[in-house]
Amino acid sequence: MNIQIEEGSGVGVIDKAATVLGALEAGPATLATLVSTTGLARPTAHRLAVALEHHRLVARDIQGRFILGPRLTELAAAAGEDRLLASAGPVLAELRDRSGESAQLYRRQAEHRVCVATAERPSGLRDTVPLGSTLTMRAGSAAQILLAWEEPDRLHRGLHGARFTASMLSAVRRRGWAQSVGERESGVASVSAPVRGPSDRVIAALSISGPIDRMTRQPGKIHATLVMNYAEKLSELVRQGGH
C-alpha cells in the first residue's frame, strides 16, 4: 500500500517528510518498508527518516526500525494545554458557583506552579489568587497534584523541602484528589484534582480554595467529588478539542 499526499503544499521536502510520518502512523517500519509504502527513492527515504530522527520526530525501536518519535507526543501535549485554556473559563465559573469557593487552574512551570485561570468568589471572605501568580511547588493541594504523577526521580527531587511526603502523594494517586489545610498559607484550605490531556498525562491541577473556617479541616470530605467531577469535565473538553 502506498501512502500519498493528496495535494502537495508546493514545498517538496515537507510533503515527503509528511509522507514518511504518515507511513509510520501504521507502526514500526524498516527502511525497505518505508520505501515500498511511501514510493520514495531509498536514499531519499533514508535521508528524510534520519533528519526527522535528529529532530526527535522519528525514533528507532529495539530492533532498529523507524517509529514515531517523542517530539510528536510533546507537541500533542502542548496543543492539549492550549485547548485547556480555551475550555477552562466556563468550567471554573461553574465549579465556583457549585462549591461557593474561589476556583483556580494551575500549570507547572519548572520549579513553580502558575495560576493560568481563575474564577473568584464574588463576595465574602475568600482566597484570592490573581491570574498569573507564581506559587511554590513545595506546599498546597495543587502542588501535590502536579507532583504526584511525575516520574519517580523528579517526584523525589520535588519532595526536598516540601510540606507533604511521598506517602501523602501515594494516597493522592490512589484516591485521585489532594487537600491542604494551612499548608501554603495560614488559615486557607484547598482541594485539587488532576486535569489530563489526550495522552492521559496530568497537564494541570483544578482547585478550589477558601478559609478553613468555612471549608473545615477535612475539605476533601466535602468537596473532593465535586472537584474531581469538574476536573474530568475539563479533561474531556481538552480531549475533544474544546468542542
Side-chain angles (χ1 to χ4, degrees):
M1 178 185 72
N2 282 3
I3 301 282
Q4 299 290 342
I5 300 296
E6 290 185 3
E7 184 176 342
S9 67
V11 183
V13 68
I14 298 296
D15 292 340
K16 290 172 183 175
T19 303
V20 170
L21 293 173
L24 294 178
E25 187 178 0
T30 63
L31 179 58
T33 302
L34 272 185
V35 170
S36 65
T37 304
T38 63
L40 296 171
R42 186 180 181 91
T44 301
H46 182 261
R47 185 172 67 252
L48 286 170
V50 171
L52 290 166
E53 185 180 12
H54 175 77
H55 290 287
R56 300 173 61 244
L57 294 165
V58 165
R60 311 267 188 138
D61 67 9
I62 196 168
Q63 298 174 33
R65 297 175 298 180
F66 294 106
I67 58 174
L68 294 175
R71 184 63 183 142
L72 294 170
T73 302
E74 294 165 4
L75 291 170
E81 290 175 1
D82 288 341
R83 290 195 295 271
L84 170 76
L85 294 182
S87 307
V91 174
L92 264 70
E94 195 172 330
L95 175 58
R96 174 201 60 201
D97 294 344
R98 289 282 306 278
S99 67
E101 304 295 348
S102 297
Q104 305 90 25
L105 187 69
Y106 294 97
R107 209 155 57 183
R108 184 167 185 176
Q109 200 170 87
E111 299 310 309
H112 298 89
R113 55 187 169 103
V114 178
C115 180
V116 295
T118 183
E120 296 291 347
R121 178 185 162 102
S123 62
L125 191 60
R126 60 191 183 273
D127 180 39
T128 300
V129 181
L131 185 66
S133 295
T134 300
L135 303 178
T136 180
M137 279 291 294
R138 300 290 188 259
S141 63
Q144 294 176 40
I145 291 294
L146 293 172
L147 192 59
W149 282 272
E150 286 282 13
E151 294 295 325
D153 58 339
R154 195 173 185 191
L155 186 154
H156 286 105
R157 282 199 307 272
L159 287 171
H160 294 308
R163 298 191 64 183
F164 42 80
T165 64
S167 62
M168 289 171 66
L169 294 187
S170 178
V172 167
R173 288 192 299 275
R174 186 170 60 251
R175 70 192 179 204
W177 56 271
Q179 68 177 8
S180 70
V181 179
E183 193 174 279
R184 173 178 62 84
E185 185 177 338
S186 178
V188 173
S190 67
V191 178
S192 298
V195 179
R196 297 178 182 273
S199 62
D200 208 38
R201 184 175 68 90
V202 175
I203 59 173
L206 182 65
S207 306
I208 59 169
S209 60
I212 293 173
D213 287 349
R214 193 166 59 232
M215 291 191 68
T216 78
R217 302 198 72 82
Q218 291 291 330
K221 286 186 176 180
I222 304 171
H223 297 291
T225 299
L226 183 68
V227 176
M228 283 194 297
N229 287 344
Y230 277 91
E232 179 56 32
K233 181 175 183 178
L234 185 50
S235 297
E236 282 300 316
L237 288 170
V238 170
R239 294 184 190 115
Q240 296 165 12
H243 299 300

